[in-house]
């Protein structure tokens, strides 16, 4: 039953993300894989192993020497948030890895619930596991929503800066979000302390981290967010309805690429959840992973406005 439910949700998101349009335009990931000379699960023409999804026998190629670790958002899992983006990257030859972090024992179906600092230790351990298994000196980290915040927090606070090549954060609440004013209203009606007690008592303490003044936000913004030697790309949508104001996602520091989807595709109405599935965002992620070989978006897709 759980598998059936996940499958139905997957089909629903697939439709909402505009993937049928992508298929019509010939831009679905199997076509790209062929263009790159790599078939998912196969071997490239030059004998280089293809990319993989959570395959610890995957060996990075010279074209994509850093494995990519993907981090989901709050209330999500590794298999339901960035899973389609992960498959796309794997089809293009990347060794990709994802975990469900911040879940409670006995209830692994929803992750991203624990405090950022607690989940970040899980993520650090996983990154080191990926490096050990693949033999890679560095990894790149891609995160959506809380996952983007976790990626930024990981690069700054866990002492593994030399092990991280790039951070690509999609709609992270870098400076805290007011969730379209709802959290501000809650503060006024109940008070910050009461709000924090409520979210902690129901097992979602991460929500207290993601607001302005939250512990993770304060720690992340104590001094520069961007760390030397790491490539940073922050992606957001002008129509994001959860990480608000949308400017709060960006890291306005030297060398950081801060990009709205609408800078490249002005008519894409994609919202917060849809950013994980949006083909324009995927293109921007790929550019962020390999800025030297960045390519323009020639055909814009239409993402989900929710």
């Amino acid at each position: 039953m759980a598998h059936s439910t996940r499958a139905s949700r997957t089909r629903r998101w697939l439709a909402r993300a505009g993937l049928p349009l992508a298929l019509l335009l010939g831009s679905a990931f199997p076509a790209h894989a062929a263009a790159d000379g790599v078939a998912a699960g196969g071997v490239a023409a030059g004998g280089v192993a293809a990319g993989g999804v959570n395959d610890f026998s995957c060996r990075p190629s010279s074209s994509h020497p850093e494995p990519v670790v993907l981090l989901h958002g709050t209330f999500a899992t590794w298999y339901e948030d960035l899973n389609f983006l992960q498959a796309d990257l794997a089809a293009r030859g990347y060794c990709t890895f994802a975990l469900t972090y911040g879940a409670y024992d006995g209830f692994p179906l929803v992750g991203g619930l624990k405090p950022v600092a607690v989940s970040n230790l899980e993520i650090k351990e996983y990154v080191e596991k990926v490096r050990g298994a693949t033999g890679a000196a560095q990894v790149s980290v891609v995160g959506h929503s809380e996952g983007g915040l976790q990626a930024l927090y990981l690069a700054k606070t866990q002492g593994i800066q030399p092990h991280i090549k790039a951070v690509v954060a999609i709609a992270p609440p870098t400076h805290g979000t007011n969730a379209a004013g709802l959290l501000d209203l809650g503060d006024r009606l109940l008070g910050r302390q009461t709000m924090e007690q409520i979210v902690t008592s129901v097992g979602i303490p991460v929500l207290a981290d993601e607001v302005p003044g939250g512990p993770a936000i304060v720690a992340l913004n104590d001094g520069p967010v961007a760390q030397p030697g790491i490539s940073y790309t922050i992606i957001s949508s002008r129509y994001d309805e959860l990480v608000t104001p949308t400017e709060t996602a960006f890291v306005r520091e030297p060398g950081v690429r801060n990009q709205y989807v609408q800078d490249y595709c002005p008519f894409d109405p994609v919202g917060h959840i849809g950013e994980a599935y949006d083909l324009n965002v995927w293109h921007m992620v790929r550019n962020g992973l390999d800025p030297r070989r960045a390519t323009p978006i020639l055909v814009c897709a239409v993402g989900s406005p929710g």
Side-chain angles (χ1 to χ4, degrees):
M1 181 66 69
H3 175 77
S4 176
T5 301
R6 288 198 299 269
S8 65
R9 286 201 299 258
T10 295
R11 287 192 293 270
R12 183 170 67 251
W13 278 115
L14 199 61
R16 293 184 66 188
L19 289 179
L21 174 62
L23 290 167
L24 291 173
L25 295 173
S27 57
F29 55 78
H32 284 297
D36 291 343
V38 178
V43 176
V48 179
V53 174
N54 294 352
D55 177 3
F56 283 88
S57 68
C58 186
R59 295 296 176 265
S61 67
S62 57
S63 297
H64 305 301
E66 292 82 31
V68 179
V69 174
L70 296 100
L71 304 175
H72 60 77
T74 308
F75 303 121
T77 61
W78 79 265
Y79 54 83
E80 193 155 23
D81 186 12
L82 293 178
N83 49 319
F84 290 115
L85 172 58
Q86 182 176 8
D88 177 72
L89 292 173
R92 295 169 189 275
Y94 284 93
C95 294
T96 68
F97 299 88
L99 77 162
T100 297
Y101 65 84
Y104 290 104
D105 293 340
F107 191 70
L109 301 179
V110 179
L113 304 179
K114 296 180 180 179
V116 167
V118 174
S119 293
N120 219 245
L121 295 175
E122 290 182 60
I123 296 167
K124 175 186 177 181
E125 181 179 349
Y126 189 78
V127 164
E128 295 302 276
K129 178 182 177 181
V130 168
R131 289 182 60 247
T134 61
Q138 295 180 303
V139 303
S140 293
V141 186
V142 176
H144 172 234
S145 192
E146 180 194 338
L149 176 63
Q150 292 282 4
L152 295 168
Y153 195 92
L154 177 78
K156 177 167 180 174
T157 69
Q158 296 301 328
I160 60 171
Q161 289 90 340
H163 301 168
I164 299 176
K165 176 69 172 181
V167 168
V168 181
I170 306 167
T174 307
H175 303 284
T177 175
N178 64 21
L182 292 177
L183 295 179
D184 289 343
L185 178 62
D187 275 353
R188 288 196 296 269
L189 294 177
L190 301 175
R192 175 61 59 87
Q193 185 175 1
T194 300
M195 290 279 289
E196 291 179 356
Q197 289 173 346
I198 291 173
V199 297
T200 300
S201 66
V202 297
I204 321 173
V206 70
L207 296 183
D209 261 334
E210 296 177 312
V211 298
I217 301 302
V218 170
L220 180 63
N221 290 279
D222 182 13
V225 173
Q227 300 301 297
I230 300 176
S231 169
Y232 286 87
T233 302
I234 315 297
I235 300 169
S236 188
S237 170
R238 295 186 186 277
Y239 303 109
D240 193 307
E241 72 284 5
L242 291 182
V243 174
T244 56
T246 56
E247 174 67 24
T248 195
F250 292 144
V251 177
R252 297 297 186 184
E253 295 176 13
V256 178
R257 289 175 290 275
N258 296 287
Q259 303 169 338
Y260 278 117
V261 179
Q262 291 76 23
D263 292 343
Y264 306 95
C265 295
F267 301 109
D268 185 354
V270 66
H272 185 76
I273 294 174
E275 286 169 272
Y277 304 89
D278 186 83
L279 299 182
N280 306 319
V281 172
W282 292 7
H283 194 125
M284 296 166 71
V285 168
R286 296 193 300 270
N287 285 348
L289 291 173
D290 195 355
R292 291 178 301 176
R293 291 190 284 186
T295 60
I297 300 175
L298 299 179
V299 179
C300 289
V302 178
S304 168

